[in-house]
Each structure stands twice: as C-alpha cells, then as structure tokens.
Amino acid sequence: MASLSLQTPAKSIGLVSPQKVLIDKPLTLACGTVLPTHELVFETYGTLNSDKNNAILICHALSGNHHAAGFYEGDSKPGWWDHYIGPGKAIDSDRFFIVSVNNIGSCFGSTGPTSTNPATGRVWGADFPSLRARDWVESQKLLMEHLAIECWAAVIGGSLGGMQAMRWSLEHPDKLLNAVVIASSMKLSAQNIAFNEIARRAIKSDPNFCDGNYLQQNRAPLHGLALARMIGHVTYLSDEALGKKFGRELASGDFIGSTEDPIEFQIESYLNYQGDKFSSNFDANSYILITKMLDYFDLSREYGNSPVSAFEHAQCNFLLISFSSDWRFSPKRSQEITDALITAGKNVSYTAIESNQGHDAFLLPNDRYQKTLSNYLRRLADQLGAA
Amino acid sequence: MNHNFSFISGWIRSGSRLLDLGCGDGSLLADLTSSHNVRGYGLEIDSDSIEKCIARGVNVVEQDLNRGLDNFADNSFDTVVMTQALQAMRYPHLVLDEMLRIGSECIITFPNFGSWRTRAYLAFRGRMPVTKQLAYQWYDTPNIHFFTYSDFEALCQERNINVMHRKFIAEQFPDNLLKNLWPNLFTETAVYHLSR
C-alpha cells in the first residue's frame, strides 16, 4: 500500500475500476436504426445518498472515455479529468455520486464500431449507424434508469460534453437540476467542420482504411488516424501555448552542421508522438463517426433555428465557462448560449476564464476555473443537503 | 455598498426582469430576488465579485460594459440598474442611452462631485479630492468622469430622459439635514429612477 500512496497524489479518488452493463432495452437512434440492446462501460466515484439526489453525470468529448478520475491498478496516469473530480475537488466525490460513461460509438468498451453487430455476427466497422448527440443522451438516460437515479443534480461536460449537457436540458428538462457547459457551442462553424473533414480525409486516404472494413482484414489505418489527431491536436492548443512549450527548440540535429542527425523541431516530434499514441488507442471509424456527430450538432435546428425557443424548454440552471485563447469554441460561442438563455429567462451564470491553453484548457489546472466550478457545485451540494 | 440602496426596492415591481450593470458581489440582486422575486442578472468583470455571485447563487455574466451591451435586445428588461459605476464608464452618456434602450426604466446611483466636501478639498488643498465616496488617488482611480448632480440633471434634460424619482443621500452632519434643500452642495450620492 505504501507504493500506492506514492503513485496516487493527494486528493485523488485513488484506485478505480470500470463497470460494464448490458442495457437490455431497445434504443432508437436519431437515424431510425434500433439497437435492441447495447453495452455501456462506466465508472462511478462517491456514494449515491439515500435521497438519490446527489448524482452528477460527466459527459466526455470526442476522444474521451469513462475513465475520468482516479487510477487503474499499475497506471501512473490518472483519468482525463482527475484535476477536477475527486475528494474535496471541484466535482467533489465526498459529496456527489459521479457517473462517467463511455458513450456508444466510441471505442473503450461500450457498443461501437469495434463491437459485433448481433444481426450479422460480424464486427460493425464502418456500418455502425450514424449518431447524434441526442443518441448519447438517450443512452445515458437508460444508464440513469439502470442506476435508479431520478434526476441528475448536474450534467457536466466540456466541448462535445457541453453539447450533451445542453441537449439533456431540452430533451429531459425534468431530469436535471443543472447543466454545466464548458468550452462548448450550439453548433460548429464552417472552420470547425473544415478541420473535421481534413481529419476524416486523412483517415480515409490511408491504404489500410479499406473503406472502413479494416478490422475484418486485420489492418488498421494507424497512419491516417495519427494524422487526423495531429490536425485536431493543433486546433485544441493556442499559438501561445505551443510557443511557450516548444518554441523553435530542436529535438534532434542542429543548424551549425556539426551533427549528421536530421533537423527535427520539438513540436514535430511531440505531434508525431501524440498522433501515434492516439492511433494505437482509438478506432478510426469511431473518430469519423464522432466528428460527424459534432458537425451535425445544431442545438436549435428543430426549434425553428431559434436558440431562445430551444432554451425555453429547459428548466434547469446553467453555468457556462469559456477560455480566452480557445479558438475551436471561442468565448463568443459561450456568450451566444448565455444571451439565448437570458432572453429565454433561464437562470444562467457565465465566466470567461483567462487562459493561454486553448480549447484544451477545460482539461487543465486553472485556479479560477477550479474556483468557479467549486463554488457553483458547493452551493448545489449545500442545497441538496448532500453529506 | 449595495445595501445602502435598499430603498430602491420600492421602485421595483414584484416578479420583474432586472439587469444589474456592475453588480459587484450580487447582494442587491440576492436581496431583490428574495424580497421581490425578480428574475435578475448581473454583469460584472471583477473575478472575485463574479465568484461571490456564483457562490451565493446570483446569476452573473462576465461582460465588460465598456464593450457595449448590444447583445441585449430593446426592452428586454423591466429595469436596468447601475450603482456607483457610471463615472467609471468610457462613455457614460452612451451607457445611459443603452440602459434606457434595454430597460423600460433604469435606476442609477453616482457620487456627487459637486458636494461641498469635494469642492472644499480641491479649493483649499489644491489636490484632487480623496473622499469616502471617491477613495482613490487621481492616478489609480477607476472613476474617469467626475460630474455633479447638476451636470446629471442637465444631461437628462438634453437627452429627453424622464426623471421618475430622485433621491439624495448624505450621512454626515450637516449634509443630511441640508441635502434636499440644496442637493448639489450637500448630496454625497444621488439616486435616479429614469425612463424615456
């Protein structure tokens, strides 16, 4: 146990393990396809109180998964949102019961393109049905019923996660008290879609993509997926953050000519490493599927393209957070959401956090961000009488 | 400071929509929400104040008033409030116009630079007044426009703004006795209830 305390920093939730559930109810997707059953992998942190009113749902973004906090046995790196989830942290596992689920269509154990299609007995691959953010919400709703939770104290997410939180507020307005929408947007801009299309094209151009049926042929478009991630990764960071971290430092070679090594900037080496690491952990069809889900998301499409009419259906309180250097989903996008919520007469607070970390800031330590989230959720826990 | 202005609650209708420009720690909005069930929002740029609002459950939006209010539609609020901030705005007259565009009514409070105390400070010390109301040195003050009760009256007249109520605040003797007799000389803080 001594070694465990060394590898888990103070205030971490510590060792965690995922659970898997077979949702034995049909899920009708927005595209019309029905999944008769589906599997969901999830983690929970903290304890559901006797009133069952202290549950928080964490919604992950494009490449996220259920492992949001704590450590797996033998791992040195914690879950992706460990800075903000844990005992005494902003999303406090001492007071809340936190549910973090890997969504369908992703590739970390929940039903997705790498799963077997029960109808054919073969892997889904590129045939996995097209998904919308609302499909994730409906699947999460089935998990909620499985866990016997009546109403979320809060649904929280960054980026695509924030879109799910907003969709929850419209689809099931009486099933959440708060939506925390971080670094998100009501719809993607042309520039956003452009970057996603470049990423998809990179994947599809890989000779190992095989029209998406690479798994059946024991191949994988690793190169294309790495390239897709490298493009995405640059858009999640700011010019300033990249400059600060790497500048023009060289990873190998020099400009004096004293070594034979080829010149490689550190940013090149870093991006290649990130791309390769990602492509060995993620599925290319999932990447295509989920980037399209992002592109198709449009909060108010079915509400006459009026965000105000859309949000009139919401009943929960909202907290919006943006980051100054985020050019993927800029503060302007969060301001638009806030303006629509105010016009719709909903309770909303909005903070624009100063940060040079770009879109990725929502994952990284930041005092003010941490304070905002803590203050908001502490008040909520007090109201609920949670622990 | 907001609690000094609790009397303005008499000018606020129950259940109305309220926008507080420069809402500080949100105490006025919190009070009016519990007493008048208002649907209130505050705009603020100071991060500590924003945190306090969030901690007490007041709707607060981080927005710099000097960058405009054009994200708010005409007549989208019943009342727009601004306490002790007009003198810190880049263009106070335009802010005033904006407040009356967004709200059917507005409530404004400001420190009266015409008070005999500030006049005496400047006249006899020859230095820019540093008072309880204007507690800054000239070089670090956020207050960039100094104006008097009379200046504000003239502005309202020029811009055809209807003064529904005006109230003069002075706590010290003899100002508290003389403020209504001679507002420009004895008012420390002026409070206006305005409409178009």
Side-chain angles (χ1 to χ4, degrees):
Chain A
M1 288 311 275
S3 66
L4 175 69
S5 63
L6 275 179
Q7 64 177 229
T8 52
K11 288 172 93 180
S12 167
I13 188 88
L15 278 187
V16 297
S17 51
Q19 307 172 51
K20 192 171 213 168
V21 60
L22 175 73
I23 301 290
D24 204 8
K25 281 184 188 165
L27 173 63
T28 305
L29 302 173
C31 67
T33 306
V34 179
L35 295 178
T37 66
H38 68 278
E39 285 188 310
L40 289 176
V41 177
F42 65 101
E43 290 178 7
T44 67
Y45 322 109
T47 312
L48 188 61
N49 62 12
S50 52
D51 292 340
K52 296 187 173 185
N53 69 1
N54 69 333
I56 284 182
L57 175 68
I58 304 293
C59 301
H60 69 67
L62 167 58
S63 59
N65 57 36
H66 51 283
H67 184 36
F71 291 78
Y72 288 158
E73 188 98 55
D75 274 5
S76 58
K77 272 191 78 178
W80 56 270
W81 223 9
D82 196 67
H83 291 306
Y84 295 96
I85 302 174
K89 294 187 183 182
I91 307 171
D92 190 347
S93 55
D94 285 340
R95 308 193 74 184
F96 290 105
F97 176 63
I98 302 152
V99 179
S100 175
V101 59
N102 183 221
N103 292 296
I104 54 170
S106 180
C107 49
F108 294 94
S110 296
T111 297
T114 58
S115 317
T116 303
N117 177 356
T120 63
R122 281 176 295 147
V123 72
W124 277 102
D127 295 332
F128 196 84
S130 147
L131 291 175
R132 300 291 182 83
R134 68 181 63 238
D135 296 326
W136 281 10
V137 168
E138 293 314 313
S139 161
Q140 290 157 357
K141 170 93 181 340
L142 293 173
L143 177 65
M144 180 188 195
E145 287 164 13
H146 167 77
L147 295 170
I149 294 163
E150 294 269 306
C151 181
W152 301 109
V155 176
I156 304 179
S159 195
L160 173 56
M163 296 172 180
Q164 293 158 63
M166 288 187 281
R167 191 54 85 195
W168 261 101
S169 76
L170 304 186
E171 292 297 306
H172 303 289
D174 57 337
K175 297 291 179 199
L176 70 164
L177 298 179
N178 293 273
V180 179
V181 179
I182 305 165
S184 195
S185 173
M186 291 188 282
K187 58 185 169 194
L188 267 65
S189 68
Q191 189 193 46
N192 294 149
I193 297 171
F195 279 117
N196 283 346
E197 177 56 14
I198 296 167
R200 287 189 292 264
R201 176 97 180 238
I203 294 170
K204 290 176 182 171
S205 309
D206 188 316
N208 283 327
F209 183 64
C210 313
D211 289 331
N213 298 313
Y214 48 87
L215 286 175
Q216 293 90 322
Q217 304 181 33
N218 269 325
R219 298 161 79 174
L222 295 182
H223 180 78
L225 183 55
L227 191 49
R229 180 58 175 182
M230 287 163 74
I231 295 156
H233 200 84
V234 173
T235 71
Y236 304 146
L237 304 173
S238 69
D239 187 24
E240 189 188 343
L242 279 177
K244 269 208 166 127
K245 195 165 174 186
F246 304 106
R248 293 176 51 84
E249 296 300 313
L250 298 178
S252 74
D254 61 46
F255 287 106
I256 301 158
S258 59
T259 81
E260 297 283 299
D261 297 335
I263 287 170
E264 189 188 26
F265 286 98
Q266 277 192 6
I267 179 63
E268 295 178 88
S269 135
Y270 169 81
L271 263 191
N272 279 304
Y273 169 77
Q274 290 294 334
D276 291 339
K277 192 175 85 171
F278 184 80
S279 67
S280 61
N281 284 321
F282 208 85
D283 177 66
N285 283 320
S286 287
Y287 202 84
I288 292 173
L289 193 66
I290 303 173
T291 52
K292 283 194 172 166
M293 172 197 268
L294 273 159
D295 293 357
Y296 299 161
F297 184 78
D298 183 346
L299 186 87
S300 59
R301 188 189 287 119
E302 70 201 87
Y303 300 92
N305 293 314
S306 160
V308 176
S309 311
F311 281 128
E312 274 166 359
H313 294 80
Q315 294 172 18
C316 65
N317 304 320
F318 289 81
L319 175 64
L320 271 289
I321 298 175
S322 72
F323 300 95
S324 57
S325 58
D326 183 352
W327 56 282
R328 186 92 185 197
F329 294 142
S330 73
K332 193 156 187 291
R333 302 283 89 82
S334 294
Q335 181 75 59
E336 288 163 358
I337 299 169
T338 306
D339 289 343
L341 283 165
I342 291 176
T343 308
K346 303 301 164 183
N347 284 322
V348 56
S349 282
Y350 165 52
T351 61
I353 309 273
E354 192 67 30
S355 162
N356 66 5
Q357 309 275 14
H359 186 57
D360 261 1
F362 85 87
L363 300 165
L364 301 170
N366 176 309
D367 272 357
R368 227 196 116 196
Y369 175 29
Q370 187 263 334
K371 233 184 258 174
T372 299
L373 213 46
S374 296
N375 283 339
Y376 191 83
L377 294 177
R378 191 181 305 126
R379 181 168 184 279
L380 172 62
D382 291 346
Q383 278 179 326
L384 297 170
Chain B
M1 178 173 302
N2 274 340
H3 63 271
N4 290 342
F5 304 119
S6 53
F7 62 85
I8 69 172
S9 65
W11 301 341
I12 308 275
R13 278 180 306 277
S14 188
S16 60
R17 280 172 64 85
L18 195 82
L19 184 65
D20 188 353
L21 307 181
C23 66
D25 65 6
S27 51
L28 180 71
L29 280 172
D31 289 352
L32 290 173
T33 304
S34 60
S35 66
H36 284 64
N37 195 29
V38 298
R39 171 69 60 176
Y41 303 88
L43 303 189
E44 185 52 66
I45 44 167
D46 176 62
S47 55
D48 289 339
S49 298
I50 291 170
E51 289 317 318
K52 284 179 187 154
C53 289
I54 287 177
R56 68 178 355 147
V58 163
N59 292 322
V60 64
V61 170
E62 185 158 346
Q63 184 169 340
D64 182 354
L65 305 179
N66 281 323
R67 300 182 95 182
L69 295 166
D70 51 11
N71 52 322
F72 293 99
D74 296 0
N75 276 312
S76 49
F77 283 86
D78 296 304
T79 307
V80 182
V81 179
M82 180 182 265
T83 53
Q84 306 297 81
L86 192 63
Q87 74 282 355
M89 294 296 106
R90 183 74 190 83
Y91 299 107
H93 61 305
L94 301 183
V95 172
L96 199 55
D97 284 348
E98 279 293 86
M99 290 175 72
L100 286 163
R101 176 186 66 80
I102 296 164
S104 340
E105 298 173 2
C106 79
I107 296 170
I108 285 197
T109 82
F110 60 86
N112 172 32
F113 206 70
S115 146
W116 70 270
R117 291 175 192 277
T118 44
R119 292 189 202 199
Y121 198 111
L122 182 59
F124 294 111
R125 296 199 200 185
R127 301 279 305 271
M128 285 304 280
V130 179
T131 63
K132 205 174 66 172
Q133 292 283 323
L134 301 159
Y136 294 93
Q137 293 294 335
W138 62 273
Y139 46 80
D140 66 2
T141 180
N143 303 316
I144 53 176
H145 295 280
F146 293 111
F147 55 101
T148 69
Y149 154 83
S150 299
D151 287 328
F152 191 77
E153 284 282 331
L155 181 69
C156 289
Q157 207 160 22
E158 250 172 55
R159 300 182 95 77
N160 285 321
I161 295 168
N162 172 39
V163 178
M164 300 166 73
H165 301 95
R166 49 171 82 70
K167 195 167 164 72
F168 312 114
I169 299 178
E171 281 164 3
Q172 298 178 71
F173 177 83
D175 311 41
N176 49 0
L177 302 179
L178 299 169
K179 62 188 184 186
N180 291 324
L181 211 61
W182 199 343
N184 203 27
L185 207 52
F186 295 106
T187 292
E188 285 168 9
T189 304
V191 186
Y192 278 79
H193 187 196
L194 307 169
S195 68
R196 271 287 177 210

